[in-house]
């Protein structure tokens, strides 16, 4: 692997820019054509929900191009489905897409996809960058971290046969190894995880109205280059701390040529001895293993300046934690070893090298147990999970981070994580739940996920809770879950402890959620409450949320058919929620139990407001699921009011596959409605 330092890259761009100074001044900035969106939504529709990121986001499909817009399309395993807003721009060699900067910026991030190599493993290809017609240089795009195939936990080989021919697959609705004649499986089977993103410091501040053009060179080796979006931002000067312990004094190499892990350890030991902080100056530091942190503060110059980057390393013998690989990561001690406390990490990037999913590997950006600690201002890229915390542990504050292009989860509070927070964190393109609390063996309690943005998890959910007590999911923005999950999930799954106490799901916005569930062959809800391994009867308050442009339903309460007579969902309370656009119903109930509704308003509803199947006994007494109408549940769609009296309290309306009526785009909600 070649390491390219920030400093050398910056200086190259500065040189290019010197030439552009000779050009005549440009006309006054034009800002009218700069369409800034948040998760492909008009920012006015998002309110103050989601992370307050430093960058502004512009979708390629709204930009100027001589390429081809692909999508919108929400069909899994397609390029548009995994794009933000379910649309992108496809460039053939020689074609471009051009964005008009909405604000001054000295740095951009490009989200893109290029083809895999015929045998897997990825290719690299150039992308020319120019500003106002003046060349800035060429980015080297890669598909080495994208393109997975086949059944979970996936393969990098597009030509692989089924990994598990003895498992049911929905494509043939059969178990292939038990089927005669065997079904024909098209290859590549289930391609996914198409996108990656790359950051580029521009070396100069450009003005609002300046035009950033991305061009696939005519000579490009990539048959096509898909651009999904551009983020742009003004990166501030590097943070400096002269009083902290500088890792370079212990031999850390900011050019990334030499391994700096031992130097990090020495600097940390020295800093702890003298009760000082550790400082990582601007540069790229090669680290190919875990840095164990306990009772220490490590601060970088900012995540655009300080990059800690590693190779994936194959271990000759597995570690006690089960890992067969290691890689760059900052880990607290495991809870079984006493855990870590008073760790404060800030202001750097962690660039991993994980290209495959091996669930036993600890190749995450942040790991272990970190009590009484803070993690802020990090950028985590290409690790397996961004932050996988193994408790028991307590009082961790995670805020202002960016986690993108991961093989599995973004952040997982796993096993007895309590009194902890994830706030103002931006997560895009995870390969599993973007934000999760998994009460495995010991319950997670009193945690909050607040004001985070989640975009395009390619598998599983935007935000998922598996058991726990008194947790809060508030003011998040969740967009574009693609398959086998939805925007928000509350699930008794994965052996989790039961839900107890209360769960508050308040003031969140989801968009383009409620996708098609390929295994069940039905549509999900933007919020998906799933009693798979036990009844869900904790006090669940779903208040003040907006469920926008739902592909199928807004709300789904469901069990699984083999356990439909064992488990129920009760004590769920929906209040002051808004539903703008459902391909099918507002509520789909496929479980026994009940839920209450108060001031839940809906419009642009594509099917009957409530799809009530209960537990599928269809007795004269009606459905086994009861809707409790607490009033002011207004609005509806093509079949009348969504919560019409005739549906109450438990009229059977079961139709799992009604025609889907794509709703119009979400629009401002008149406060008098
Ligand atoms: Ca897009």
């Amino acid at each position: 692997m070649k390491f390219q330092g920030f400093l050398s890259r910056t200086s190259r761009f500065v040189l290019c820019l010197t030439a552009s100074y000779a050009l005549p001044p440009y006309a006054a900035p034009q800002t009218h054509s700069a369409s800034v969106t948040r998760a492909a939504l008009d920012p006015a529709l998002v309110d103050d929900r989601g992370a307050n990121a430093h960058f502004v986001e512009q979708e390629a499909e709204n930009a100027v191009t001589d390429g081809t817009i692909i999508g919108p399309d929400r069909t899994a395993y397609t390029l548009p489905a995994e794009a933000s807003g379910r649309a992108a721009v496809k460039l053939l060699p020689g074609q471009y897409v051009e964005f008009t900067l909405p604000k001054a910026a000295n740095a951009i991030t490009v989200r893109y996809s290029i083809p895999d190599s015929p045998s897997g493993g990825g290719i690299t290809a150039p992308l020319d960058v120019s500003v106002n017609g003046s060349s800035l240089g060429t980015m080297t795009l890669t598909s080495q971290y994208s393109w997975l195939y086949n059944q979970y936990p996936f393969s990098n080989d597009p030509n692989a046969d089924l990994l598990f021919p003895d498992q049911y697959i929905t494509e043939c609705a059969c178990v292939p190894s038990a089927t005669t004649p065997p079904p024909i499986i098209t290859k590549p089977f289930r391609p996914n995880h198409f996108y990656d993103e790359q950051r580029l410091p521009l070396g100069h501040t450009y003005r609002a109205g300046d035009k950033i053009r991305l061009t696939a060179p005519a000579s490009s080796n990539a048959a096509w280059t898909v651009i999904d979006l551009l983020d742009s931002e003004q990166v501030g000067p590097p943070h400096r701390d002269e009083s902290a312990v500088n890792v370079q004094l212990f031999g850390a190499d900011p050019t990334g040529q030499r391994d700096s892990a031992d130097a990090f350890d020495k600097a940390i030991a020295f800093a702890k001895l003298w009760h000082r902080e550790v400082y990582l100056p601007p540069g790229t530091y090669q680290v190919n293993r875990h840095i164990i942190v306990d009772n220490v503060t490590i601060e970088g110059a900012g995540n655009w300046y300080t990059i800690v980057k590693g190779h994936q390393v194959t271990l000759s013998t597995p570690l006690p934690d089960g890992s067969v690989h290691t890689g760059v990561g900052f880990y607290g001690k495991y809870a079984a070893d006493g855990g870590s406390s008073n760790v404060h990490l800030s202001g750097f990037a962690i660039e991993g090298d994980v290209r495959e999913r091996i669930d036993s590997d600890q190749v995450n950006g942040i790991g272990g147990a970190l009590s009484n600690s803070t993690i802020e201002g990090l950028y985590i890229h290409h690790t397996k999970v961004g932050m996988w915390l193994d408790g028991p542990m307590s009082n961790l504050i995670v805020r202002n981070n960016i986690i993108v292009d991961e093989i599995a989860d973004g952040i997982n509070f796993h096993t007895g994580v309590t009194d902890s927070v994830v706030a103002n964190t931006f997560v895009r393109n995870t390969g599993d739940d973007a934000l999760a609390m998994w009460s495995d063996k010991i319950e997670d309690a009193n945690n909050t996920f607040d004001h985070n943005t989640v975009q395009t998890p390619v598998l599983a959910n935007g935000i998922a809770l598996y058991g726990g007590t008194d947790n809060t999911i508030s003011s998040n923005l969740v967009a574009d879950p693609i398959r086998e999950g939805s925007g928000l999930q509350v699930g008794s799954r994965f052996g989790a402890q039961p839900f107890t106490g209360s769960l508050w799901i308040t003031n969140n916005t989801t968009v383009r959620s409620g996708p098609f569930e390929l295994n069940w062959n039905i549509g999900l809800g933007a919020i998906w409450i799933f009693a798979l391994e036990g009844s869900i009867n904790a006090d669940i308050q779903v208040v003040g949320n907006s469920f926008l442009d739902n592909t199928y339903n807004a709300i789904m309460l469901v069990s699984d058919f083999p356990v439909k007579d064992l488990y129920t969902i009760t004590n769920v309370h929906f209040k002051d929620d808004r539903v703008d656009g459902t391909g099918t119903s507002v509520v789909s109930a496929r479980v026994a139990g009940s839920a209450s509704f108060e001031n839940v308003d809906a419009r642009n509803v594509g099917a009957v407001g409530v799809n009530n199947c209960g537990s599928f006994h269809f007795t004269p007494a009606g459905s086994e699921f009861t809707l409790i109408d607490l009033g002011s549940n207004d609005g509806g769609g093509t079949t009348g009011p969504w919560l019409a009296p005739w549906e109450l309290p438990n009229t059977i309306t079961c139709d799992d596959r009604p025609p889907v009526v794509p709703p119009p785009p979400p629009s401002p909600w008149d406060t008098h409605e």
Side-chain angles (χ1 to χ4, degrees), residues 40 58-62 80 83-89 111 195 227-229:
Q58 293 172 284
E59 298 291 335
E61 59 271 27
N62 300 332
S84 176
R86 310 305 183 106
V89 167
R111 186 167 195 258
Y195 289 85
I227 305 295
D228 176 27
L229 57 79

Side-chain angles (χ1 to χ4, degrees), residues 40-366:
L41 276 175
D42 179 343
L45 298 176
V46 184
D47 299 325
D48 67 340
R49 296 169 180 186
N52 182 18
H54 289 143
F55 53 83
V56 290
E57 193 173 59
Q58 293 172 284
E59 298 291 335
E61 59 271 27
N62 300 332
V64 174
T65 184
D66 63 352
T68 306
I69 292 176
I70 57 171
D73 187 348
R74 304 184 190 183
T75 310
Y77 311 120
T78 68
L79 279 159
E82 292 191 12
S84 176
R86 310 305 183 106
V89 167
K90 187 174 200 172
L91 306 178
L92 300 177
Q95 293 182 324
Y96 70 90
V97 57
E98 184 174 271
F99 300 85
T100 302
L101 286 179
K103 296 165 67 175
N106 62 3
I108 59 173
T109 300
V110 179
R111 186 167 195 258
Y112 65 90
S113 178
I114 56 174
D116 199 358
S117 65
S119 57
I123 64 169
T124 61
L127 183 71
D128 289 342
V129 182
S130 64
V131 182
N132 299 333
S134 177
S135 174
L136 266 184
T138 301
M139 300 173 78
T140 300
L141 307 183
T142 178
S143 54
Q144 291 161 319
Y145 298 96
S146 44
W147 292 95
L148 296 173
Y149 306 92
N150 221 303
Q151 293 155 292
Y152 171 88
F154 316 118
S155 168
N156 280 313
D157 180 1
N159 306 307
D161 293 323
L162 287 176
L163 294 180
F164 304 102
D166 57 340
Q167 292 181 2
Y168 173 90
I169 59 171
T170 189
E171 285 82 353
C172 64
C174 74
V175 175
S177 65
T179 302
T180 308
I184 294 169
I185 305 300
T186 50
K187 297 179 187 177
F189 184 63
R190 297 184 182 173
N192 71 93
H193 217 301
F194 303 114
Y195 289 85
D196 201 357
E197 60 185 71
Q198 194 172 123
R199 302 176 112 188
L200 180 67
L202 301 176
H204 173 78
T205 297
Y206 292 91
R207 299 166 302 182
D210 285 350
K211 296 185 187 310
I212 304 274
R213 180 177 287 206
L214 308 177
T215 304
S219 60
S220 177
N221 57 304
W224 47 262
T225 302
V226 166
I227 305 295
D228 176 27
L229 57 79
L230 181 85
D231 294 336
S232 58
E233 68 180 290
Q234 181 69 23
V235 178
H239 166 72
R240 300 191 190 282
D241 187 345
E242 305 297 340
S243 67
V245 174
N246 184 331
V247 287
Q248 291 181 8
L249 299 178
F250 293 82
D253 172 15
T255 71
Q257 298 301 306
R258 284 180 287 107
D259 190 309
S260 293
D262 292 349
F264 275 42
D265 284 350
K266 288 174 189 165
I268 289 169
F270 184 89
K272 289 170 73 167
L273 192 63
W274 295 97
H275 303 287
R276 287 163 64 184
E277 299 169 343
V278 174
Y279 178 59
L280 312 177
T284 296
Y285 302 92
Q286 185 188 153
V287 169
N288 305 311
R289 61 168 169 83
H290 297 174
I291 300 296
I292 305 300
V293 289
D294 184 22
N295 194 30
V296 67
T297 295
I298 302 175
E299 55 185 15
N303 64 49
W304 281 85
Y305 295 103
T306 300
I307 299 164
V308 184
K309 183 169 182 171
H311 307 280
Q312 177 143 298
V313 176
T314 302
L315 300 167
S316 51
T317 53
L319 293 174
D321 64 18
S323 298
V324 295
H325 297 90
T326 191
V328 60
F330 288 78
Y331 273 63
K333 293 187 289 186
Y334 289 125
D337 302 322
S340 287
S341 186
N342 192 33
V343 172
H344 304 284
L345 307 175
S346 66
F348 57 91
I350 300 172
E351 279 276 357
D353 185 25
V354 179
R355 308 173 188 205
E356 59 188 337
R357 178 158 181 164
I358 300 174
D359 281 343
S360 60
D361 271 350
Q362 284 280 358
V363 286
N364 307 314
I366 301 290

Side-chain angles (χ1 to χ4, degrees), residues 568-587:
T568 61
I569 296 174
T570 52
N571 212 11
V572 185
H573 308 283
F574 294 88
K575 185 179 179 186
D576 301 334
D577 298 305
R578 287 175 173 171
V579 175
D580 190 355
T582 60
T584 55
S585 299
V586 175
V587 174

